[in-house]
């Protein structure tokens, strides 16, 4: 059965539809809904069968933890055994907002929700539609991104419908999301807070607030056999259908290299896809070129990333080449997602020149 789609805006909630969504979730069903980051696929976080349904609908590995979404700080106490003082400081500054924190879990949280771990990831979203739905559902909604596992995350309800329209009960269409990248994840189960997934809230912002914070080493290296403590750490994610490679180096050299790949493909009768910034997009005469946003306004790159990756699935391209985006504030988050989408395939123009 096709999912029911209901539309509303943050300032004009459809209370009847929200109540219906809450009832679906209480009964063990699945509802996709907007947040300020990406669309989430919600199920009752305290119902192990609902969590199993989420994994099945997405085709998601069952050891990949789900994030529990709450709509008030009081709900946190039921989920976790302790909240360190530094976590309370972060919550006061960034909740509600695009921040997920990991704590030791209580017995009320089933292992089906945590991927078998003794810890639970918790987020308090700022989106008013999400908050209303969470409250209507009883206060605890497990929600990974509402896409088929491995695909680019959804930033519109249309993306959700494309991937999961036949697998879930309802889609709440709240329009395009604001940020476009998943929340920052910080692990508080160790002595020093550890960033397991970068996002809009950067490492620098966390350090300014807390002092010592470190980045997990697994974010830099390719996927390992280590059991993931947070979504997206172990498996390839966000991938378009065509193979993607990131080309990094000095700007002129990157443009020259990508144009070389495009010209070679053209001689073979093929087309490549090219992901470029607004500042360089006009410098690529061949291939299907998509502008992802401006380096001067890096939030536009984050906002458009998944949309651009999905658009290439509608194009006949043999492969996709993307410029690297090591921008000051969101570069860690943008590159984390691009690296996942590319399976960590990076072409360094400097290294290629040294080989010649």
């Amino acid at each position: 059965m096709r999912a029911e789609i209901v539309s509303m805006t943050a300032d004009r909630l459809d209370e009847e539809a929200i109540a219906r969504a809450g009832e679906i979730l209480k009964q063990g069903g699945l509802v996709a809904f907007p947040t300020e980051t990406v669309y989430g696929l919600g199920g009752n976080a305290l119902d192990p069968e609902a969590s199993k349904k989420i994994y099945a609908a997405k085709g998601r590995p069952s050891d990949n933890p789900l994030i529990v979404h709450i709509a008030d700080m009081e709900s946190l106490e039921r989920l976790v055994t302790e909240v360190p003082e530094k976590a309370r400081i972060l919550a006061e500054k960034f909740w509600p907002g695009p921040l997920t924190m990991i704590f030791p879990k209580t017995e009320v949280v089933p292992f089906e929700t945590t991927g078998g771990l003794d810890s639970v990831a918790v987020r308090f979203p700022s989106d008013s539609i999400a908050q209303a739905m969470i409250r209507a559902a009883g206060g605890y909604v497990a929600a990974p991104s509402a896409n088929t596992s491995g695909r680019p995350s959804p930033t519109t309800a249309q993306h959700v419908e494309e991937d999961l329209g036949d697998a879930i009960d309802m889609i709440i269409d709240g329009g395009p999301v604001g940020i476009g990248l998943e929340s920052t994840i910080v692990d508080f189960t160790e002595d020093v807070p550890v960033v397991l997934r970068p996002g809009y809230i950067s490492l620098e912002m966390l350090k300014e607030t807390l002092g010592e914070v470190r980045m997990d080493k697994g974010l830099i290296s390719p996927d390992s056999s280590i059991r993931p403590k947070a979504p997206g750490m172990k498996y390839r994610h966000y991938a378009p259908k065509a193979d993607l490679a990131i080309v990094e180096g000095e700007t002129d050299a990157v443009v020259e290299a990508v144009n070389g790949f495009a010209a070679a493909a053209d001689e073979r009768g093929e087309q490549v896809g090219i992901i470029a910034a607004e500042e360089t997009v006009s410098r690529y005469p061949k291939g299907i070129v998509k502008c992802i946003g401006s380096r001067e306004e890096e939030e536009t790159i984050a906002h458009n990333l998944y949309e651009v990756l999905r658009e290439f699935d509608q194009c006949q391209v043999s492969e996709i080449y993307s410029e690297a985006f090591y921008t000051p504030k969101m570069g860690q988050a943008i590159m984390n997602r691009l690296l996942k989408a590319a399976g960590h395939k990076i072409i360094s123009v400097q290294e290629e020149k040294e080989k010649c």
Side-chain angles (χ1 to χ4, degrees):
M1 191 174 77
R2 199 75 180 163
E4 176 189 3
I5 301 175
V6 296
S7 298
M8 64 186 77
T9 62
D11 53 358
R12 294 191 66 180
L13 299 181
D14 183 334
E15 300 290 353
E16 183 181 331
I18 290 288
R20 200 158 65 248
E23 195 57 34
I24 289 171
L25 290 164
K26 287 177 180 177
Q27 297 300 319
L30 303 182
V31 177
F33 63 100
T35 76
E36 69 276 22
T37 57
V38 297
Y39 272 74
L41 174 59
N44 183 348
L46 307 185
D47 178 356
E49 294 305 314
S51 292
K52 288 179 182 177
K53 284 184 180 179
I54 291 173
Y55 287 115
K58 284 177 60 72
R60 179 186 178 101
S62 61
D63 66 344
N64 200 359
L66 306 177
I67 294 173
V68 179
H69 291 62
I70 59 176
D72 56 63
M73 281 300 296
E74 291 72 27
S75 298
L76 181 64
E77 306 301 329
R78 189 180 177 198
L79 300 175
V80 308
T81 59
E82 62 174 315
V83 182
E85 180 59 27
K86 287 189 173 183
R88 293 189 185 278
I89 292 170
L90 279 193
E92 186 173 334
K93 182 163 186 177
F94 296 116
W95 270 5
L99 171 70
T100 295
M101 293 188 278
I102 296 178
F103 308 99
K105 79 176 189 70
T106 62
E107 292 184 0
V108 75
V109 186
F111 286 112
E112 286 82 358
T113 297
T114 67
L117 298 175
D118 291 317
S119 58
V120 59
V122 187
R123 180 159 108 80
F124 182 174
S126 62
D127 185 276
S128 57
I129 296 174
Q131 289 183 9
M133 192 206 70
I134 293 164
R135 287 192 290 269
Y140 303 97
V141 175
S145 54
N147 57 298
T148 305
S149 191
R151 294 268 290 133
S153 296
T155 56
T156 68
Q158 289 70 34
H159 296 161
V160 180
E161 187 180 10
E162 288 169 11
D163 282 12
L164 301 174
D166 290 325
I168 63 178
D169 301 291
M170 179 186 279
I171 299 170
I172 299 177
D173 184 352
V177 301
I179 295 173
L181 294 182
E182 299 83 355
S183 59
T184 303
I185 298 179
V186 182
D187 183 8
F188 280 96
T189 64
E190 300 186 22
D191 292 338
V192 176
V194 181
V195 177
L196 301 185
R197 183 175 72 189
Y200 182 82
I201 298 169
S202 66
L203 180 64
E204 289 69 28
M205 293 164 70
L206 294 169
K207 285 181 175 179
E208 284 175 9
T209 306
L210 297 182
E212 187 180 9
V213 181
R214 66 180 178 85
M215 191 77 79
D216 187 89
K217 294 178 181 177
L219 293 173
I220 302 168
S221 62
D223 296 343
S224 70
S225 59
I226 297 172
R227 193 174 207 179
K229 295 183 73 175
M233 289 193 72
K234 180 178 176 184
Y235 300 97
R236 190 182 180 204
H237 277 259
Y238 325 120
K241 292 175 182 176
D243 286 339
L244 169 67
I246 302 166
V247 186
E248 65 176 18
E250 190 271 326
T251 300
D252 289 343
V254 167
V255 171
E256 182 183 356
V258 172
N259 279 331
F261 299 140
D266 188 57
E267 290 180 5
R268 300 192 301 268
E270 299 174 347
Q271 280 198 109
V272 301
I274 299 170
I275 299 174
E278 184 179 304
E279 292 80 0
T280 52
V281 69
S282 63
R283 298 177 63 182
Y284 298 103
K286 294 184 182 297
I288 297 177
V289 187
K290 293 189 180 290
C291 178
I292 196 172
S294 170
R295 293 181 187 274
E296 296 300 314
E297 299 176 24
E298 57 187 292
E299 288 85 355
T300 60
I301 297 174
H303 182 79
N304 294 324
L305 174 59
Y306 294 140
E307 178 74 30
V308 166
L309 291 176
R310 282 180 173 268
E311 285 177 359
F312 272 119
D313 285 347
Q314 311 305 318
C315 304
Q316 298 298 316
V317 295
S318 54
E319 58 246 341
I320 304 167
Y321 296 96
S322 175
E323 297 175 352
F325 301 101
Y326 294 105
T327 53
K329 180 182 174 183
M330 295 195 69
Q332 288 176 334
I334 294 165
M335 290 304 297
N336 171 263
R337 305 318 194 270
L338 266 178
L339 283 166
K340 282 285 183 182
H344 287 263
K345 183 179 180 182
I346 298 176
I347 299 171
S348 168
V349 291
Q350 182 62 37
E351 289 179 5
E352 292 300 313
K353 282 185 178 180
E354 289 173 359
K355 289 179 185 176
C356 298

